[in-house]
Amino acid sequence: MKLDNRNIIVTGANRGIGAAIVRELLKHKVGKVYAAARKIDSLPDFGDKRVVPLALDITNGGQVKAAAEKAKDVHVLINNAGIATFAALTDEKADIAADMNTNYYGTLSVTRAFLPALQKNGQGQLANVISVVGLAPVPAIGGYSASKAALHSATQTLRAELAPRGIKVSGIYPGPIDTDMARDFPMQKASAESTAQAIVKGLLGSDEFIFPDPMSEQAGQLWRTDPVALEKMLAAPMDKAA
């Protein structure tokens, strides 16, 4: 895939991996980059006129529809927005429904809204930022893991559904990245910048599976050869898994 003159939307672009992806895309001869976030004033100053700020809460159907109407010229959709509830599935007080509503249903809502543009504008590409915990769970974030497993399954399904329409689908599976979301994880983390660089490289190669950091590369290889071993590795206490 070439990025020249292509218009791209990145959800959750206000910080972390999302903001880093926007900056990495701007190193290429892209057209517009729609930087989407729940609050436009939370977006950093990217210092580039190609960036178009876009208000988008992916759990708000009205905002999703409005964003799709505003960005009808999009060729590439990068679904990065997400949340994480740090709680076990057995914790009755944890609002793990929020994980599913955002990471799965919200992402699916955005995808459905932008599919007409991806198909109409030609050579469309959809990329979902999932996580290695979408391949095997981390018990301490059971709700988040379940929502990402659902998104992984949806990504596989969409790959088959959208191939006849000429839309390529990539799944992105980061490990622990040095962002606000992973701040409390006691393990070595890759930088958001190096992760974004690997993600864009994978998109340029139209890779179906993108493992953008050292830990995720290891996890991806283990998932392909011995998924049970990956489950046991991620189920280990954080200090031992690090």
Side-chain angles (χ1 to χ4, degrees):
M1 185 190 79
K2 293 184 178 180
L3 293 176
D4 293 10
N5 301 314
R6 291 169 71 80
N7 301 320
I8 305 163
I9 178 171
V10 181
T11 68
N14 56 314
R15 61 180 181 174
I17 296 176
I21 290 174
V22 172
R23 293 189 178 98
E24 187 63 29
L25 289 170
L26 293 173
K27 297 177 183 179
H28 298 264
K29 296 178 181 179
V30 297
K32 299 175 187 174
V33 178
Y34 291 94
R38 281 181 290 181
K39 297 180 180 180
I40 286 182
D41 59 8
S42 70
L43 288 166
D45 181 3
F46 292 105
D48 194 304
K49 293 181 179 180
R50 292 174 294 173
V51 176
V52 180
L54 193 63
L56 179 57
D57 177 346
I58 69 171
T59 65
N60 184 316
Q63 283 195 14
V64 170
K65 183 178 180 180
E69 283 293 319
K70 185 174 181 180
K72 289 183 178 180
D73 55 354
V74 159
H75 302 90
V76 181
L77 167 61
I78 302 177
N79 281 314
N80 169 73
I83 64 169
T85 301
F86 292 86
L89 286 177
T90 52
D91 184 353
E92 295 180 0
K93 297 180 181 180
D95 184 18
I96 60 173
D99 285 324
M100 195 66 73
N101 288 336
T102 302
N103 302 336
Y104 178 64
Y105 291 114
T107 300
L108 184 57
S109 175
V110 173
T111 299
R112 287 170 170 170
F114 278 91
L115 278 180
L118 296 184
Q119 184 169 2
K120 180 181 178 181
N121 296 327
Q123 296 184 323
Q125 184 152 8
L126 166 66
N128 292 330
V129 178
I130 307 173
S131 168
V132 292
V133 304
L135 304 176
V138 170
I141 46 174
Y144 177 74
S145 298
S147 70
K148 290 298 190 176
L151 182 56
H152 165 63
S153 181
T155 301
Q156 293 177 304
T157 302
L158 288 166
R159 185 176 294 123
E161 283 190 18
L162 299 180
R165 304 191 205 180
I167 299 173
K168 296 181 179 180
V169 178
S170 298
I172 302 168
Y173 301 84
I177 309 301
D178 190 13
T179 63
D180 291 343
M181 184 180 287
R183 182 191 300 125
D184 297 328
F185 281 92
M187 53 173 48
Q188 188 173 359
K189 307 176 184 91
S191 71
E193 292 74 21
S194 64
T195 301
Q197 185 177 20
I199 288 171
V200 172
K201 181 180 179 181
L203 294 177
L204 285 167
S206 297
D207 295 348
E208 293 185 347
F209 296 86
I210 300 174
F211 297 97
D213 60 275
M215 186 274 182
S216 68
E217 286 182 354
Q218 177 189 4
Q221 190 164 11
L222 193 56
W223 170 67
R224 288 185 174 101
T225 58
D226 192 345
V228 174
L230 177 63
E231 178 184 345
K232 291 181 178 179
M233 182 183 85
L234 294 185
M238 288 293 177
D239 57 344
K240 292 183 180 180

